[in-house]
Amino acid sequence: MPGTRKTAAKKAAPRKAASRTAHPAPDAPAGGPAATPEAEANRFDLLSVLDTESLEPIQATFRGIDVDIRRSFTGEEAVRFMAHVAATRLDAALEIIVGEVASELLQALAELSVTHCSALLNKVFEMSGLTEGEIVAPLPASYTGMAGAQP
């Protein structure tokens, strides 16, 4: 086009990032990153923040099923519990809290309405100390196998 000026695009030189060198920690031996047993013993385990208090189980019953609701969990158990809840694997989450009786308890809970079932699960989860408030929404009809539910 007349009146426009073509300019050559300047090509910028590629920038080189300054090389970084790793500096060993002051207490790390010169031979590698392996820490001494004393240093390992002094390391704080962040997962321990999720540990719950060491409390006695609460004894409960539901339609003749005796349940001991645990109230003492490690951080690892708390993480597994929340992963099961997030994936809607409530049977596995409940098993962490009540043990082997979980499947029998869930079978009895399945006879209730979806609203009542989720209310009771929320209560057990809250009593365990792993949650506060309600974390289980009313379950879909397919979870309890209600009539008309899609498999």
Side-chain angles (χ1 to χ4, degrees), residues 54-86:
S54 183
L55 300 172
E56 291 295 317
I58 295 176
Q59 296 178 341
T61 188
F62 179 74
R63 293 189 168 178
I65 302 168
D66 292 330
V67 179
D68 288 336
I69 301 171
R70 285 181 56 201
R71 299 190 304 158
S72 179
F73 302 92
T74 65
E76 182 61 40
E77 288 173 319
V79 168
R80 279 190 300 133
F81 170 80
M82 290 311 291
H84 290 316
V85 170

Side-chain angles (χ1 to χ4, degrees), residues 6-140:
K6 291 186 179 180
T7 58
K10 287 187 177 181
K11 190 172 185 181
R15 294 185 183 185
K16 263 186 139 177
S19 62
R20 294 183 180 180
T21 57
H23 298 288
D27 62 341
T36 63
E38 297 86 25
E40 286 296 319
N42 291 332
R43 264 183 208 271
F44 180 75
D45 181 13
L46 287 173
L47 198 55
S48 69
V49 171
L50 301 177
D51 292 350
T52 62
E53 291 183 55
S54 183
L55 300 172
E56 291 295 317
I58 295 176
Q59 296 178 341
T61 188
F62 179 74
R63 293 189 168 178
I65 302 168
D66 292 330
V67 179
D68 288 336
I69 301 171
R70 285 181 56 201
R71 299 190 304 158
S72 179
F73 302 92
T74 65
E76 182 61 40
E77 288 173 319
V79 168
R80 279 190 300 133
F81 170 80
M82 290 311 291
H84 290 316
V85 170
T88 321
R89 292 190 307 263
L90 299 179
D91 53 341
L94 190 60
E95 189 172 334
I96 291 173
I97 296 172
V98 300
E100 295 176 2
V101 73
S103 61
E104 185 180 359
L105 182 59
L106 270 179
Q107 189 174 12
L109 289 173
E111 297 172 7
L112 302 175
S113 71
V114 173
T115 304
H116 291 147
C117 181
S118 61
L120 288 173
L121 282 174
N122 279 320
K123 186 62 177 177
V124 170
F125 292 167
E126 187 177 340
M127 290 172 75
S128 74
L130 288 172
T131 66
E132 289 182 13
E134 295 182 356
I135 63 168
V136 178
L139 303 172

